[in-house]
Amino acid sequence: MAGDRAAYVSSADARVVLVEYSVGEHETYVFVVTPEGTAPQVAKIAVGKAALARLARRLTALGADEAFRDPVLASLVMPAVGATQPGDVIYFVPHGALHRIPLQAVHVDGAPVIERNPVTVAPSASALRYCRAKRKGQRRSALIVADPGGASAPWSSHVNRRCPSPASSRPVGCCPAPPPRGRR
């Protein structure tokens, strides 16, 4: 990943930081790739697969503000916050149960990450790389899909309120998965 980091973190518009997670049985590794780094920064967080699955399930039972102030969640996004300045774009690449946790809504220093940094979530670093390689020109709009009623994710309205407007100058995006092999 670090040897070809330009495919992930280069941008003419803003500084981009890739934050990829690997969830293990007893710990989660956070890999942070910056434009100026020669290798990923690696943080080991003492929370494993079962604890993250419980936390993801608990998000639906708690009020949004309480849930996103959880210190475990904050520890998972602190490596990203520590490697960025306000306004830098963060690409989160979750793993396992983290796919069910909107990391951009986690509170750090009293505010959600999305209020400090524009955030994109990609299903994988390879999907992100594919999307960036196939991109043609700069996008002036974004399609944001959400469940406004909150039926499938009770915290979705909270997260969506935190997203910058597509009309704003801050980059917002989503990255679809690449087509299956042989179907291009």
Side-chain angles (χ1 to χ4, degrees):
M1 178 169 36
D4 193 20
R5 70 181 184 283
Y8 301 99
V9 296
S10 64
S11 173
D13 302 323
R15 183 171 179 270
V16 176
V17 174
L18 174 70
V19 181
E20 186 165 6
Y21 296 86
S22 179
V23 178
E25 289 298 320
H26 304 289
E27 65 277 319
T28 298
Y29 290 92
V30 184
F31 301 91
V32 179
V33 179
T34 62
E36 56 281 339
T38 57
Q41 301 167 28
V42 181
K44 181 179 174 181
I45 310 298
V47 60
K49 181 170 45 174
L52 286 175
R54 283 191 302 273
L55 186 55
R57 284 190 302 271
R58 205 177 91 200
L59 282 176
T60 60
L62 295 174
D65 284 332
E66 179 185 345
F68 295 115
R69 294 177 196 279
D70 186 286
V72 172
L73 289 177
S75 72
L76 291 166
V77 298
M78 280 308 295
V81 171
T84 59
Q85 296 295 317
D88 290 348
V89 178
I90 299 173
Y91 283 114
F92 282 124
V93 180
H95 179 239
L98 290 175
H99 282 284
R100 299 189 335 250
I101 298 173
L103 297 168
Q104 68 274 16
V106 174
H107 286 245
V108 175
D109 296 330
V113 173
I114 193 71
E115 289 185 3
R116 181 183 186 275
N117 299 88
V119 171
T120 295
V121 177
S124 70
S126 59
L128 173 63
R129 182 178 184 188
Y130 175 87
C131 291
R132 290 176 61 89
K134 296 296 182 182
R135 180 172 59 189
K136 294 179 176 72
Q138 186 176 5
R139 302 282 193 255
R140 298 283 180 206
S141 62
L143 171 64
I144 300 173
V145 180
D147 179 3
S152 63
W155 36 257
S156 64
S157 62
H158 172 75
V159 173
N160 294 330
R161 279 196 315 267
R162 302 294 188 195
C163 290
S165 162
S168 77
S169 61
R170 296 176 71 184
V172 177
C174 63
C175 184
R181 287 181 179 229
R183 297 187 183 227
R184 301 227 185 252

Short mmCIF file of all heavy atoms in Angstrom, two decimals, residues 144 163-170 172:
data_model
loop_
_atom_site.label_atom_id
_atom_site.label_comp_id
_atom_site.label_asym_id
_atom_site.label_seq_id
_atom_site.Cartn_x
_atom_site.Cartn_y
_atom_site.Cartn_z
N ILE A 144 -26.02 11.12 -2.28
CA ILE A 144 -25.93 10.62 -0.91
C ILE A 144 -27.21 9.84 -0.64
O ILE A 144 -28.31 10.38 -0.73
CB ILE A 144 -25.78 11.79 0.10
CG1 ILE A 144 -24.50 12.56 -0.22
CG2 ILE A 144 -25.77 11.25 1.52
CD1 ILE A 144 -24.32 13.81 0.59
N CYS A 163 -23.33 15.60 7.63
CA CYS A 163 -22.66 15.61 6.33
C CYS A 163 -22.69 17.00 5.73
O CYS A 163 -23.71 17.69 5.79
CB CYS A 163 -23.32 14.64 5.36
SG CYS A 163 -23.06 12.92 5.81
N PRO A 164 -21.60 17.43 5.12
CA PRO A 164 -21.62 18.72 4.44
C PRO A 164 -22.57 18.69 3.26
O PRO A 164 -22.81 17.64 2.68
CB PRO A 164 -20.18 18.92 3.97
CG PRO A 164 -19.44 17.69 4.32
CD PRO A 164 -20.34 16.76 5.05
N SER A 165 -23.10 19.81 2.92
CA SER A 165 -24.00 19.92 1.79
C SER A 165 -23.27 19.61 0.49
O SER A 165 -22.14 20.02 0.30
CB SER A 165 -24.55 21.35 1.73
OG SER A 165 -25.08 21.61 0.46
N PRO A 166 -23.93 18.90 -0.46
CA PRO A 166 -23.29 18.65 -1.74
C PRO A 166 -22.96 19.95 -2.48
O PRO A 166 -22.07 19.98 -3.32
CB PRO A 166 -24.34 17.85 -2.52
CG PRO A 166 -25.20 17.24 -1.48
CD PRO A 166 -25.20 18.22 -0.32
N ALA A 167 -23.65 21.03 -2.14
CA ALA A 167 -23.38 22.30 -2.80
C ALA A 167 -22.18 23.03 -2.20
O ALA A 167 -21.71 24.02 -2.73
CB ALA A 167 -24.61 23.20 -2.72
N SER A 168 -21.69 22.52 -1.07
CA SER A 168 -20.57 23.20 -0.42
C SER A 168 -19.28 22.94 -1.17
O SER A 168 -19.21 22.08 -2.04
CB SER A 168 -20.42 22.72 1.03
OG SER A 168 -19.82 21.45 1.06
N SER A 169 -18.24 23.66 -0.81
CA SER A 169 -16.96 23.48 -1.47
C SER A 169 -16.18 22.32 -0.87
O SER A 169 -15.13 21.95 -1.38
CB SER A 169 -16.14 24.76 -1.36
OG SER A 169 -15.91 25.06 0.00
N ARG A 170 -16.68 21.73 0.22
CA ARG A 170 -15.99 20.61 0.84
C ARG A 170 -16.30 19.34 0.06
O ARG A 170 -17.43 19.07 -0.27
CB ARG A 170 -16.43 20.47 2.29
CG ARG A 170 -16.06 21.67 3.12
CD ARG A 170 -16.59 21.55 4.50
NE ARG A 170 -15.83 20.51 5.19
CZ ARG A 170 -16.13 20.12 6.42
NH1 ARG A 170 -17.12 20.66 7.07
NH2 ARG A 170 -15.42 19.18 6.99
N VAL A 172 -17.30 15.70 -0.87
CA VAL A 172 -18.12 14.63 -0.32
C VAL A 172 -18.17 13.57 -1.39
O VAL A 172 -18.21 13.88 -2.57
CB VAL A 172 -19.56 15.12 -0.01
CG1 VAL A 172 -20.42 13.98 0.49
CG2 VAL A 172 -19.54 16.26 0.97
#
